[in-house]
Amino acid sequence: VSQDGADTDPDTAGTGVGNNSEANDDSVPTPVFFTENPVLGLAKEAGSSADAVGFPGEFTTTLTFTLENLGDVELRNVQATDDLVTTFANPATFVVTSISATGVTANSSFNGNSDQDLLAGTDTLVVGDTATVTVNVRFDPNGATGPFIVQATATGTTPSGETLTDLSDVGTNHDQDNDG
């Protein structure tokens, strides 16, 4: 600032920034707005074949769920659900024999029927994180010929409170058309 009070800083000339006038209050913070671009991906893959388990008509298969945070903000309270009652519709019967997870917390009570939550629902996926859930199922088609298909659903919440939902893609690629 010159002796006569004129702003001589070329980077702030005419803006009032950087001069000592009483009109400026440098203690007021400048608001910064951040635009979220949240993207959640889910893929579901059934084992390439069902294996006979030694009981007449019973088989086992492994279901693998892959979740990924493809966006630019963390996703909180991540959950995935799967309705095995729809997958193994009457007359077929099923039982979940095990569930495990990497990168998230598996819901040990998941049974695909009365409890369809695959996860504890308290995990956070940071940007770029991938998590995997593996479920082993024993089933008896009881004459049903299949196919035994259903989509799983994933949800997550952004820092601003927006809830995302994604239906699973087939296989391990949760964004097969690369469109986010």
Side-chain angles (χ1 to χ4, degrees):
V1 177
S2 69
Q3 290 258 355
D4 63 2
D7 190 346
T8 58
D9 182 351
D11 291 334
T12 61
T15 65
V17 176
N19 68 30
N20 291 328
S21 75
E22 291 181 24
N24 286 334
D25 184 357
D26 292 334
S27 66
V28 176
T30 302
V32 176
F33 300 96
F34 177 71
T35 302
E36 294 179 341
N37 184 28
V39 182
L40 175 61
L42 174 65
K44 177 182 177 181
E45 178 179 45
S48 58
S49 65
D51 299 315
V53 295
F55 300 105
E58 286 194 355
F59 301 88
T60 61
T61 193
T62 300
L63 305 174
T64 304
F65 304 84
T66 306
L67 298 103
E68 184 173 359
N69 181 344
L70 300 161
D72 63 2
V73 293
E74 72 180 15
L75 299 174
R76 301 171 183 162
N77 303 317
V78 174
Q79 184 58 268
T81 59
D82 196 28
D83 178 359
L84 294 180
V85 173
T86 302
T87 302
F88 299 105
N90 197 16
T93 59
F94 70 93
V95 63
V96 173
T97 58
S98 68
I99 183 170
S100 61
T102 303
V104 287
T105 307
N107 172 14
S108 61
S109 299
F110 170 78
N111 61 22
N113 184 3
S114 61
D115 191 342
Q116 298 178 1
D117 292 339
L118 293 161
L119 305 176
T122 57
D123 293 295
T124 296
L125 288 179
V126 298
V127 175
D129 263 3
T130 300
T132 305
V133 181
T134 305
V135 176
N136 291 303
V137 179
R138 186 176 72 231
F139 69 98
D140 186 338
N142 288 317
T145 58
F148 301 103
I149 300 172
V150 72
Q151 281 189 310
T153 303
T155 58
T157 305
T158 68
S160 68
E162 178 184 352
T163 299
L164 298 178
T165 301
D166 187 50
L167 294 175
S168 62
D169 289 325
V170 176
T172 57
N173 184 352
H174 36 68
D175 189 20
Q176 294 176 2
D177 55 7
N178 295 314
D179 69 351

